[in-house]
Every structure is written in C-alpha cells, then in structure tokens.
Amino acid sequence: MLQAIIRRGRVRPILAGHPWIMSGSVARYDGYPQTGDVVRLVAEEGQPLGWALHSSSPNLPLRTLAPGLQPERHLDGPRLTEAYWRDAISAAATRRQRWGLPAADTTTWRLLNSEGDHTPGVTCDVFADRAALRVSTAAAWAYRDALVSALKASVPSLTGVAVGVDTAMLQLEGVRDALPFSDGETGAVEVCERGMRLLVSPDSGQKTGHYCDQREQRLQLGRLASGMRVLDAYSFCGGFALQAALHGAASVVAVDSSRPAIHALEHNARLNGVEARVEARCGRVEDVLRSLADRDQRFDLISLDPPAIAPSARHVDKALRKLEALVLDTLRVAAPDATLVVSSCSRAIDAELLLRLVGSAAGRIGRHARLEHVMHQPPDHPVPAAMAEGRYLTGAWFHIA
C-alpha cells in the first residue's frame, strides 16, 4: 500500500480537517505514487491520518478523501473505484435535500463542491436535467470517465453531462491536452432559481453556465426591491436584475461588458415577463458608472458583483486599488438612503478587507457606509471547517447615507 509519511508538526491541520497537504509536509513516500493514486497518510509516529488522492502538483501533491473510505469497496489497487464517486455523490445529494434542494421553484443547485464533498478537484452544478462537471486537478482528470458514469448512475434523471476543465490549473500539474467534452444532450436548458426563470447553457464554457453561489443574495436583493430604482453592475445573465424586477422594482439597469451575457439577460427578461422594466447596457462597467453619474442618475438599490480580481495574495494590493475605484464610481450613483451590496469572490479579499475598503471609499467622497448584513456562499457550497481558503464569497450589505 502506498503511504505518505507526514512530518512531525504538520499533523495537526490534517486532524483538524484541512484537506490540503503541501509537499513540505511530506517526510517521504513509501512507494512511488502516480497521478490519481490513493495514498494512506501516516504520521511519523505511526498514527493513521486517513487517505489522500495524489496529483502531480509540485506544491500541493495530496488532497484528502472521505474519512469513511472503505478500502474493500472504494479501492482497486492504488486507484479509486467508481463506487467511491457514487457514494460521494449520493451523500452530497442527501445533504442538499436536507436544505430543500432541488425544489419546485429551484432546479439549479450545486451537487458537488470539491473538498467540501470529499471530491477533490471536482465541482458539479445541476441545471434541471443537465449537469456541469468542472475538473481542476490532474488527479480528478484521470477519473473523468468514472465521474460521468457515477453521476449518471447516481442521478438517473440527467439527460446530459458537460465536463469543463480549469485549463490553467491542469497545465500547472502537467496536463496540457485536457479538453471539455459532453455526454448526452447538449445546448440550452430552462431552469428555475427561487421562482426566476433562466435559460442556461451548461456546456457554454462560461464556468458552469450560471453562478449558483449567489442564489440567496439574489433573492434577498429581490425582497428589498419593491418600488426601487435598481442597478446591477457586472450583471452577467441578469440574476440580480431579474429578481429585482420580479419583486416589483420601479426600474432596473443591468450592465455587463459581455455581449453574449447581455443577450442572455434580455432573453431571460422576456422569459420572466419583465423586459419593460429591465434596461440592459453592454459596456465597461467603469465607463457606464461614470456616464450615469454625469447624467445625475441615482439608484436606491445597487449590486456590485465584479469577477474575481485577486486570484492570490500577491495580487491583493493591485486588486484593492481596482475595487476601491469601482466602489467610488458606484457610490457616486447611490441615492441618499441607498442599499449597496458589494460582492467579492476573491479568496484573498476577506470580509474584513472588504468592509474597511467600502467604509474608507465612502468617507473620501463625504458619504457614510453602515454595514447591515454579511452573506457567504449558500449551504450547497460546503467547505471543511478548517479550510479558510474555501470560504471565497463575501456579500456585504451597506446602508449608504
């Protein structure tokens, strides 16, 4: 049996449940694990620490597997059997059902959230009768066919599975020929999210076609929107804008730089019967914000949801400057007594940094920001308690005076 002997002093994070084992934590290997092999983790003193999947990353070679792994059922030599993936998927589906997912008004949700569901390097979003798998490690890529097979067996209602790849991450681990592929039906499918109808393309290549992690924030914004003038900056396919319109917003302006996203937003607005109250603008968000300010347009409820701008800690300073400029431009179109929702999906920008940034930006232009609420990713995006790196989404809700 392949083993990784963990150095003294590096055991505690593993016992606490952190799923990543860096190369510096490994004293030695007993055997020569290959990408996709399962390795038994053992402390130098001999204490068993669980199981991990080996990948070819020079810095992060091991990611832990389910603590309940059963060698006789889940292993065939050093490789995982399809039964491991089936059991992980079934367990994840059961946990989502406890949270009411799927539901009559919500047919899009996350089934697998990588380490949070003991499927390292694998996420899966469900869109009605389709699924979008996304693979981000060489080890997970080695099991791509088993993953598709296990998913179809575990969720028999699926008619199609689209497999996407995180090309940059896979190339770092030496996989240079990974290409997206599909099994079964492809193309667009209509889904519901908290009563909002959306046309989603799981095999479009845009992540998984829709960002399920903002579901509860979109609904919360909708609940505040009645009679409001609403701005959705970085709208993508219009989730915040459409929930606002469905909940009675007086008017909605949605802005995104992607023309395909704007076309999808316009289609979704018609699908929900709110096209008369949703104005879609295609352009750089910074430019549109300044144009709105120049024309003295003001908004009572604003969502600012930029894409990830700090992929790692070394990018934080530059990202904070960019985000502060965006917040300043947004505050200039905030009406008195407005609600501003600023979202960050950059792991390196935590809630504390985000709160300080917005407060400081407001003070620079004579406004006052009061924090009213903080939200994170919903319960179908679980994270190991010890894994701060997995808590990537912060939504800060401010009253702007």
Side-chain angles (χ1 to χ4, degrees), residues 209-392:
H210 176 67
Y211 297 103
C212 300
D213 55 2
Q214 286 281 34
R215 179 181 59 247
E216 305 309 324
Q217 288 217 116
R218 286 189 280 257
L219 179 61
Q220 182 59 46
L221 183 134
R223 289 170 172 163
L224 298 178
S226 180
M228 298 285 189
R229 298 166 294 177
V230 178
L231 173 64
D232 182 1
Y234 296 99
S235 60
F236 190 40
C237 296
F240 283 103
L242 296 174
Q243 282 289 14
L246 285 168
H247 282 80
S251 62
V252 182
V253 175
V255 185
D256 201 276
S257 62
S258 166
R259 184 135 333 251
I262 289 295
H263 287 162
L265 186 157
E266 291 172 334
H267 178 90
N268 289 332
R270 292 191 294 272
L271 199 61
N272 288 276
V274 296
E275 66 273 20
R277 281 181 288 127
V278 177
E279 177 189 351
R281 297 194 184 187
C282 186
R284 290 180 69 248
V285 170
E286 300 92 326
D287 295 338
V288 175
L289 287 172
R290 291 164 193 159
S291 175
L292 292 169
D294 290 343
R295 296 204 303 274
D296 290 326
Q297 283 191 253
R298 298 294 181 264
F299 299 89
D300 309 299
L301 181 57
I302 302 171
S303 167
L304 179 64
D305 185 18
I309 55 178
S312 67
R314 65 188 178 90
H315 297 95
V316 166
D317 288 344
K318 182 179 179 181
L320 288 175
R321 289 193 295 271
K322 181 177 181 179
L323 184 57
E324 183 178 38
L326 272 172
V327 170
L328 284 167
D329 287 336
T330 304
L331 288 168
R332 291 186 176 104
V333 298
D337 204 33
T339 297
L340 169 63
V341 187
V342 182
S343 299
S344 170
C345 57
S346 298
R347 292 178 177 87
I349 299 179
D350 61 17
E352 201 59 40
L353 272 176
L354 185 63
L355 302 186
R356 289 204 303 268
L357 183 147
V358 175
S360 173
R364 285 181 57 185
I365 58 172
R367 307 293 296 268
H368 176 73
R370 182 177 63 194
L371 179 69
E372 294 187 322
H373 190 38
V374 176
M375 296 181 73
H376 300 285
Q377 60 256 46
D380 55 339
H381 291 64
V383 181
M387 189 184 185
E389 299 90 338
R391 300 191 293 272
Y392 67 94

Side-chain angles (χ1 to χ4, degrees), residues 159-178:
T159 62
V161 179
V163 179
V165 296
D166 188 328
T167 304
M169 291 298 294
L170 288 173
Q171 287 183 350
L172 286 175
E173 298 192 8
V175 180
R176 307 193 182 283
D177 57 352

Side-chain angles (χ1 to χ4, degrees), residues 193-209:
E193 181 187 277
R194 298 300 187 225
M196 172 177 60
R197 298 170 65 190
L198 299 164
L199 194 67
V200 176
S201 297
D203 51 347
S204 68
Q206 176 73 45
K207 294 287 187 180
T208 54

Side-chain angles (χ1 to χ4, degrees), residues 39-197:
V39 175
R40 186 73 185 266
L41 304 176
V42 181
E44 284 189 306
E45 296 84 356
Q47 177 186 8
L49 302 172
W51 306 86
L53 196 58
H54 186 270
S55 204
S56 48
S57 167
N59 299 318
L60 177 51
L62 296 167
R63 298 173 191 243
T64 58
L65 294 164
L69 184 146
Q70 304 167 33
E72 65 282 0
R73 174 174 170 78
H74 295 144
L75 294 182
D76 181 6
R79 310 297 281 189
L80 287 171
T81 63
E82 186 177 311
Y84 176 85
W85 302 110
R86 289 193 189 193
D87 289 352
I89 292 166
S90 296
T94 298
R95 289 192 294 273
R96 271 59 174 186
Q97 289 165 8
R98 294 173 185 167
W99 288 97
L101 294 170
D105 70 346
T106 302
T107 59
T108 175
W109 48 287
R110 175 152 290 189
L111 173 57
L112 297 175
N113 198 50
S114 195
E115 287 88 349
D117 287 298
H118 307 301
T119 57
V122 181
T123 60
C124 178
D125 290 338
V126 175
F127 302 98
D129 63 354
R130 310 282 182 80
L133 276 168
R134 188 166 176 84
V135 175
S136 60
T137 68
W141 180 248
Y143 289 98
R144 59 194 180 277
D145 293 332
L147 281 162
V148 171
S149 178
L151 185 60
K152 291 166 65 179
S154 302
V155 190
S157 60
L158 292 177
T159 62
V161 179
V163 179
V165 296
D166 188 328
T167 304
M169 291 298 294
L170 288 173
Q171 287 183 350
L172 286 175
E173 298 192 8
V175 180
R176 307 193 182 283
D177 57 352
L179 294 173
F181 66 94
S182 296
D183 183 295
E185 292 188 20
T186 60
V189 60
E190 184 178 322
V191 300
C192 290
E193 181 187 277
R194 298 300 187 225
M196 172 177 60
R197 298 170 65 190

